[in-house]
């Protein structure tokens, strides 16, 4: 059974950088899509960025474009999210998500993903 393990996160000041990483365990096949979602206290999970296994298709929420970079290593089955110029509104619990399905709901929706990590907290203080 495939599981996801997140590494990284923490607390920094606004304007600083953080990196979160995620690895897919229990499989030798890289997921078709890997993504990061953010959940604020009491809110829904909202997509931050997603990357397809072809290495070309990468998508970002408007709020993070130009500041965050998602990258994948299919051989290692990992996805990283480099977060620069962090803002207080980036605060939340970040979840790694993966899908092996080549069709389904849009990449930006939580329902597209059947495999989720436990989440890692990112806190930005201003």
């Amino acid at each position: 059974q495939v599981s996801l393990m997140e590494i990284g996160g923490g607390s920094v000041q606004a304007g600083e950088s953080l990196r979160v990483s995620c690895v897919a365990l229990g499989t030798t096949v890289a997921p078709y899509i890997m993504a990061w979602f953010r959940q604020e206290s009491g809110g829904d999970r909202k997509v931050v960025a997603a990357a397809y296994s072809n290495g070309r298709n990468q998508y970002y929420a408007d709020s993070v474009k130009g500041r965050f970079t998602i990258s994948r290593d299919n051989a290692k089955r990992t996805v990283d999210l480099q977060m620069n110029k962090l803002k207080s509104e980036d605060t939340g619990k970040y979840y790694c998500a993966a899908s092996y399905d080549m069709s389904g709901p849009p990449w930006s929706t939580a329902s597209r993903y059947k495999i989720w990590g436990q989440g890692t907290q990112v806190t930005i203080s201003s």
Side-chain angles (χ1 to χ4, degrees), residues 5-7 18-23 34-36 49-51 58 60 68-73 76-83 96:
M5 182 176 70
E6 296 115 338
I7 305 166
L18 273 177
R19 187 179 187 90
V20 289
S21 300
C22 171
V23 59
M34 297 187 80
W36 287 96
Q58 298 171 345
Y60 297 90
F68 289 14
T69 302
I70 189 170
S71 59
R72 289 187 56 168
D73 185 328
K76 295 180 180 178
R77 304 175 304 285
T78 59
V79 62
D80 295 339
L81 185 68
Q82 177 65 41
M83 304 181 286
C96 179

Side-chain angles (χ1 to χ4, degrees), residues 9-18 20 36-41 46-49 61-68 81-95 120-126:
S11 299
V12 297
Q13 298 285 323
E16 295 183 342
S17 299
L18 273 177
V20 289
W36 287 96
F37 281 73
R38 177 174 65 236
Q39 184 173 30
E40 300 175 29
S41 180
K46 297 180 181 179
V47 73
V48 175
D62 288 342
S63 61
V64 306
K65 284 180 181 177
R67 300 188 298 122
F68 289 14
L81 185 68
Q82 177 65 41
M83 304 181 286
N84 299 329
K85 301 178 181 179
L86 284 160
K87 304 176 181 179
S88 57
E89 51 262 43
D90 295 321
T91 293
K93 196 165 188 178
Y94 282 68
Y95 292 88
T120 184
Q121 181 67 33
V122 171
T123 303
I124 314 303
S125 55
S126 56

Side-chain angles (χ1 to χ4, degrees), residues 30-35 97-103 112-115:
Y32 183 54
I33 312 175
M34 297 187 80
S99 173
Y100 283 90
D101 298 328
M102 299 185 72
S103 63
R112 184 71 169 88
Y113 306 89
K114 295 185 176 67
I115 307 168

